[in-house]
Amino acid sequence: MQVQYLGTGASEGIPGVFCQCGMCMHARLEGGKNLRRRSSMIVDKQLLIDMPADLYSQSLALKVDLSLVKNIIITHGHTDHFYPGDLRNLPPPYAITGTKVNLFGSRQVKEDFERAFNSHDLRRIREFCEFTEVSLFEPFQTDGYTITPLKARHCDGAFIYLVESKGRFMLYGLDTGFFPEETWDYLAGTTLHLVNLDCNNPTNSDTPNHMTIEDNITVKRRMFQQKSANNRTRYVASHFSHNGSLNHAQIEEKMRLHGITVAYDGLELRV
């Protein structure tokens, strides 16, 4: 699997849209890896994980051809992860060729999808977008990928995903606190090749629904102990908030000693 991080920020992005804190002012001044659009990922140019409102600007900045996307999996319905309005652009005349996609998510995400459109638009969109409701710990297959929704610690209907293709396993674990025990139990014995971890506030999370650097280190340790990872497993932290008060270089400095890569918009990896 070839993966690309289209966005690595939390709901407000970095810099925050209306924020003048020191972190956001630094990001505006320095740019580069400090600029973070809302979190999403594309796999093999055809499998999209989450579709925030930033998706169009991400595709332009990173030269990503979204017309190649065949499958979209949604972690949860918060608007920084699911902006269904863009699905209006699937049918003609917005897309002359009429791109067709498979959309997967929880019951709550399905409800968000259906509420986003009037009945006429919804019927039209459904000609080009088939929504499949998926359930916790029940694997499903699409275009050579086996994908399993796992329980997140975030909100009702929030999933993280185990993605397998050709014997390679990736965990997409963004927008969650420390994994629930049911998720740990499911992962036990599965050797992961890439682990993506939420690090919303690197130093001091004020909510159980996100993780810190210390949480990421604890996850890495436990994965090794329960044989969900080995010495070749790669760990990547993402989904950063400006409230963490650390710029990209500062987070890298703290993570480097623990063998965790700090994601940035546009980062590409092979799993």
Side-chain angles (χ1 to χ4, degrees), residues 21-87:
C21 74
M23 175 65 188
C24 289
M25 298 298 284
H26 173 85
R28 290 189 183 98
L29 180 65
E30 296 296 325
K33 295 177 182 179
N34 295 292
L35 301 178
R36 300 185 184 277
R37 298 175 180 88
R38 280 78 158 197
S39 291
S40 62
M41 173 186 283
I42 194 164
V43 181
D44 297 329
K45 299 183 179 181
Q46 63 161 310
L47 171 64
L48 185 65
I49 305 179
D50 282 344
M51 48 176 300
D54 291 339
L55 183 62
Y56 182 60
S57 66
Q58 291 169 344
S59 70
L60 295 180
L62 301 172
K63 296 180 172 59
V64 173
D65 186 353
L66 295 175
S67 71
L68 300 177
V69 170
K70 298 178 181 179
N71 302 281
I72 305 173
I73 55 178
I74 303 297
T75 56
H76 62 295
H78 288 170
T79 54
D80 57 318
H81 291 261
F82 185 41
Y83 178 69
D86 274 344
L87 295 172

Side-chain angles (χ1 to χ4, degrees), residues 2-239:
Q2 183 74 27
V3 305
Q4 185 173 24
Y5 298 77
L6 304 184
T8 56
S11 63
E12 71 286 342
I14 299 178
V17 180
F18 301 110
C19 187
Q20 293 184 342
C21 74
M23 175 65 188
C24 289
M25 298 298 284
H26 173 85
R28 290 189 183 98
L29 180 65
E30 296 296 325
K33 295 177 182 179
N34 295 292
L35 301 178
R36 300 185 184 277
R37 298 175 180 88
R38 280 78 158 197
S39 291
S40 62
M41 173 186 283
I42 194 164
V43 181
D44 297 329
K45 299 183 179 181
Q46 63 161 310
L47 171 64
L48 185 65
I49 305 179
D50 282 344
M51 48 176 300
D54 291 339
L55 183 62
Y56 182 60
S57 66
Q58 291 169 344
S59 70
L60 295 180
L62 301 172
K63 296 180 172 59
V64 173
D65 186 353
L66 295 175
S67 71
L68 300 177
V69 170
K70 298 178 181 179
N71 302 281
I72 305 173
I73 55 178
I74 303 297
T75 56
H76 62 295
H78 288 170
T79 54
D80 57 318
H81 291 261
F82 185 41
Y83 178 69
D86 274 344
L87 295 172
R88 278 197 182 91
N89 298 312
L90 286 173
Y94 306 106
I96 300 304
T97 55
T99 300
K100 295 186 178 182
V101 301
N102 301 305
L103 183 63
F104 302 92
S106 66
R107 174 179 55 82
Q108 290 86 344
V109 171
K110 182 179 181 181
E111 292 171 356
D112 291 334
F113 166 68
E114 293 174 343
R115 281 196 298 262
F117 309 103
N118 61 42
S119 58
H120 172 77
D121 286 347
L122 186 59
R123 283 195 300 272
R124 185 75 175 117
I125 291 166
R126 278 176 166 163
E127 295 178 30
F128 295 87
C129 178
E130 181 178 354
F131 191 102
T132 300
E133 182 180 331
V134 296
S135 301
L136 280 171
F137 308 114
E138 295 185 10
F140 63 93
Q141 295 184 336
T142 182
D143 287 323
Y145 301 95
T146 299
I147 303 169
T148 308
L150 305 179
K151 189 174 183 179
R153 180 171 279 115
H154 192 64
C155 66
D156 289 342
F159 295 159
I160 58 177
Y161 287 99
L162 177 65
V163 181
E164 183 270 331
S165 176
K166 299 177 181 178
R168 306 292 287 180
F169 289 85
M170 174 184 75
L171 178 67
Y172 191 82
L174 303 190
D175 229 355
T176 178
F178 196 77
F179 305 147
E181 288 303 313
E182 302 98 309
T183 293
W184 282 112
D185 290 345
Y186 191 94
L187 290 172
T190 298
T191 302
L192 301 168
H193 299 91
L194 175 62
V195 178
N196 297 285
L197 295 173
D198 179 283
C199 194
N200 186 271
N201 188 329
T203 57
N204 183 26
S205 179
D206 58 358
T207 169
N209 298 331
H210 290 291
M211 284 195 268
T212 65
I213 291 173
E214 287 303 318
D215 292 327
N216 287 182
I217 296 168
T218 302
V219 167
K220 181 179 178 181
R221 184 182 305 119
R222 179 163 175 176
M223 283 192 165
F224 191 81
Q225 290 172 344
Q226 72 171 35
K227 303 187 187 310
S228 294
N230 57 32
N231 291 329
R232 293 183 296 276
T233 301
R234 186 159 190 178
Y235 300 83
V236 179
S238 188
H239 200 276

